[in-house]
Amino acid sequence: MLLWTVLVMSVCSRQSVAIAQQNTSTIPGIVSTAYDFLQSHLCQGHRYGYDFHFYRPSLVKYSADQWLWDSGSHMIVWSHRNVTNSILSLRSMLHLQAQDGRIPEMIFWANRTASQERELKLQWSSVNRTDLTQMPVLPWSLRAMYNATRKTESTPAANQLLREFLPPLIRYFRWWAQTRSLDGDGLVYIIHGWESGLDASPAYDGAYDIPDSDPVPRFAQLYPKFDELIEAYRFEDMWDQQRILNKSKKGALLFDFFKVKDVAVNCVYAAGWWELGLLALQLNDTALATECRRAAQLTAQGILDKMYDAENQVFRTLYRNPTTGAEEASSRITVQSLFPLLLPKELLPRDVADVLVGHIRNTSEFAAPFPIPSVSMASPSFVPNFSEKDDLMWRGPSWAFTTWFVLEGLHTHGYSDTATEVLQGWIKAVRHAGIWEMYNPINGSGMGVEGLGMSTLIVDWLYRHGLVR
């Protein structure tokens, strides 16, 4: 059974109620609706010996648990309204940080029945967290919290925040370097599509043994492999990360092999190191800042050397062929291909940045009316609609966090006109449909879950572009 569809006894506040009607026709209406949705997702209580306070992804479909990158997005949004909520959410997440530094993809704060806990034991090594991690977005969350605290309180208060949260995030990034970087190229592996958060992205089709001749696989071809991986990792490998990563190819029974160097994950990882280094400088910790900068440089160079297809001027996700074990490049052009824009100016040549912006502005690729599609519109894998019946996500619709990261990259490199155009398209989608899990990039219809917390990220850019005061 899929974890996020398991019904659990709610730990959310009694004030958590659905929003009756969205009013997103104006900028103030978008902001008000976004915070109403987030507040309705509040979960708080005491479990595993810790107080917790966080915001679940939504009131339906996703259980009352804490996801890494969802919570990271909520922290960014709350930093503009009530940074204490961001601080409590990050503190709750770090309560369950593993001893080796890994921050789990998901923490099971929700109360469960005995049978539901038995089901967790069939999938994970613990009943309180998954053994996976997720897109390492937390440096941007901490940056937002730091800036908000410095603005609303004082620099000493903001620095105290860094003293609390910077060390565990450094431990987490060192875990990535020590556990997931295996080939001497600075690039890190994910071991499941859930670890990027881009579950069924076409960039992973090859890694899931889906041939290029089948650009739009059926649910039955793809999704069972997600569950088989978890089953294999649990019972064949006992969630030993080194044993999982040391496999050279898939086995004969279960689908038990997934080794992917995702472009987006590696760019977020590299740029995340850089952001952590900048925060370290706020504490005058030059030694730590140097470590962070060098780690960012190493991975950025690997991205440029191994992931950039210079002939076609596109960045490609790499994966180990599940049959042969050979490293191959994905043929699918997805939103991950735009993520090298996250790399700082010091690490990304301007001519390469110009190429990336060209893809963003190309109306045949990513310049959709309601940006940014998760798959290039020129790709045979592009499917703008989403069906809950199939639940194959990230195969065409536009999502908030990936659009947020593209805007972050455009802002980093000074492409203000393009950033404004992308933001205006995002605003148009929300005005047209409201706040939804994802959007059809062609007609702007909202799809998936209504009011997904991650989709409130538009508020961050409304503030940063001066559209909210």
Side-chain angles (χ1 to χ4, degrees), residues 51-179:
D51 292 331
F52 63 83
H53 175 120
F54 70 95
Y55 300 84
R56 64 188 293 181
S58 64
L59 294 178
V60 296
K61 183 178 178 180
Y62 298 99
S63 60
D65 297 303
Q66 188 174 23
W67 274 260
L68 194 163
W69 81 323
D70 292 82
S71 279
S73 71
H74 306 159
M75 295 172 205
I76 292 170
V77 179
W78 275 119
S79 72
H80 295 287
R81 177 67 64 91
N82 185 345
V83 71
T84 298
N85 290 336
S86 308
I87 293 169
L88 292 174
S89 185
L90 182 54
R91 196 170 284 154
S92 297
M93 182 178 295
L94 294 176
H95 285 325
L96 273 295
Q97 183 173 18
Q99 288 188 344
D100 61 5
R102 180 181 59 87
I103 298 176
E105 168 228 12
M106 187 177 175
I107 299 173
F108 303 123
W109 292 114
N111 294 318
R112 284 172 164 80
T113 65
S115 64
Q116 288 167 346
E117 288 208 348
R118 284 195 295 272
E119 184 175 339
L120 291 181
K121 292 177 181 178
L122 292 175
Q123 299 173 346
W124 313 105
S125 65
S126 167
V127 295
N128 60 23
R129 64 192 175 194
T130 69
D131 295 87
L132 300 172
T133 188
Q134 206 168 39
M135 187 82 78
V137 301
L138 295 177
W140 288 270
S141 307
L142 182 56
R143 183 189 71 180
M145 294 157 58
Y146 173 80
N147 289 338
T149 304
R150 189 172 59 176
K151 179 180 179 181
T152 59
E153 296 187 39
S154 65
T155 297
N159 286 344
Q160 186 58 38
L161 201 67
L162 293 185
R163 292 188 185 96
E164 177 181 355
F165 291 128
L166 189 57
L169 295 195
I170 292 293
R171 287 181 58 227
Y172 176 47
F173 272 66
R174 287 172 178 162
W175 172 85
W176 275 99
Q178 294 163 3
T179 306

Side-chain angles (χ1 to χ4, degrees), residues 438-453:
M438 64 193 93
Y439 299 89
N440 184 308
I442 306 301
N443 63 31
S445 60
M447 300 178 293
V449 170
E450 184 177 13
L452 187 79

